[in-house]
Amino acid sequence: ETGVTQTPRHLVMGMTNKKSLKCEQHLGHNAMYWYKQSAKKPLELMFVYSLEERVENNSVPSRFSPECPNSSHLFLHLHTLQPEDSALYLCASSHGLAGGGEQYFGPGTRLTVT
Amino acid sequence: GESVGLHLPTLSVQEGDNSIINCAYSNSASDYFIWYKQESGKGPQFIIDIRSNMDKRQGQRVTVLLNKTVKHLSLQIAATQPGDSAVYFCAENIGGGSTLGRLYFGRGTQLTVWP
């Protein structure tokens, strides 16, 4: 266990559905991240939050909407997704942002869009 | 664009042998590198890191070598075990005092250990 949990672990949704992914970290970190991992592609950084403030949105379509209500929780709200959005969505956290540093990953949510 | 890559997408080794996984990067400003291991059904797990002011760093059964001249990073695993079978990613941080903890990941190498 890395101290980062994600729910659900698997999700199947239609293109017209609305769903949310949840991430929780129990490490006392103040930075949290969403990544997308597709087959045969490198991990793609989607969003970065530091102290509950979004500091980076890496050109992610608006059908993905992040929310960080506090430093321990991170959500990714999904609506009107496309089949190409099917992927493993990983959450990570770290002590801070400055100078990089180890990011702790959750197990991911395997999303399938039908 | 992607600045971190791996030389081989797959690597097969016999149990007990040493494994070497390579990684190339293109950004001279990268000052911090991490190796992650990802087992099937799990998220990436930290293995070892190294800062650009070092050439070598050792952990338990793992060694990371950094050659800044040719922008090359390698992960050496000693006495490879079946439990080492996983996808290994290198990641770089283009820091230099940047306030963004942005890691660029390579595509990964699938390591398979056979008895």
Side-chain angles (χ1 to χ4, degrees):
Chain A
E1 293 295 327
T2 63
V4 180
T5 59
Q6 291 186 243
T7 55
R9 293 295 308 277
H10 301 271
L11 178 62
V12 179
M13 59 185 291
M15 289 189 285
T16 59
N17 291 158
K18 290 184 179 181
K19 296 287 184 182
S20 296
L21 309 185
K22 179 182 176 182
C23 175
E24 183 174 0
Q25 58 96 359
H26 311 274
L27 302 168
H29 292 166
N30 54 31
M32 297 187 77
Y33 313 78
W34 278 117
Y35 287 87
K36 177 183 179 182
Q37 187 175 35
S38 305
K40 301 182 180 179
K41 293 180 68 175
L43 269 72
E44 302 172 60
L45 180 65
M46 300 175 71
F47 301 103
V48 181
Y49 275 82
S50 175
L51 296 171
E52 300 139 47
E53 178 182 349
R54 189 190 311 179
V55 296
E56 182 164 339
N57 176 341
N58 196 29
S59 302
V60 180
S62 60
R63 56 185 184 269
F64 295 92
S65 175
E67 178 189 1
C68 188
N70 55 64
S71 59
S72 298
H73 294 86
L74 185 65
F75 294 89
L76 188 63
H77 304 299
L78 316 171
H79 65 98
T80 59
L81 294 191
Q82 304 299 311
E84 59 265 29
D85 296 323
S86 298
L88 181 68
Y89 288 85
L90 291 160
C91 173
S93 69
S94 66
H95 284 291
L97 296 179
E102 180 183 352
Q103 293 180 15
Y104 293 76
F105 285 84
T109 294
R110 174 67 63 184
L111 174 67
T112 303
V113 182
T114 61
Chain B
E2 179 188 355
S3 65
V4 179
L6 289 162
H7 293 303
L8 291 174
T10 62
L11 176 65
S12 295
V13 300
Q14 189 171 16
E15 182 178 359
D17 286 352
N18 296 332
S19 303
I20 300 176
I21 302 173
N22 295 306
C23 186
Y25 64 96
S26 59
N27 198 317
S28 299
S30 297
D31 63 354
Y32 178 69
F33 304 87
I34 305 178
W35 280 101
Y36 281 92
K37 169 186 179 183
Q38 187 173 22
E39 297 174 273
S40 180
K42 297 183 179 180
Q45 178 185 1
F46 172 88
I47 301 174
I48 192 168
D49 59 0
I50 188 168
R51 295 204 175 269
S52 59
N53 60 353
M54 301 173 68
D55 297 321
K56 178 180 180 179
R57 192 165 187 219
Q58 289 184 292
Q60 186 177 13
R61 282 201 306 119
V62 295
T63 301
V64 56
L65 299 177
L66 176 62
N67 185 331
K68 294 180 287 293
T69 302
V70 295
K71 300 187 184 66
H72 184 268
L73 190 70
S74 68
L75 176 70
Q76 301 177 0
I77 304 174
T80 314
Q81 303 169 359
D84 295 326
S85 293
V87 178
Y88 289 81
F89 295 94
C90 63
E92 63 177 328
N93 175 262
I94 304 173
S98 167
T99 58
L100 290 180
R102 202 187 195 298
L103 289 178
Y104 294 83
F105 285 82
R107 292 185 180 274
T109 292
Q110 171 70 58
L111 173 65
T112 302
V113 182
W114 44 280

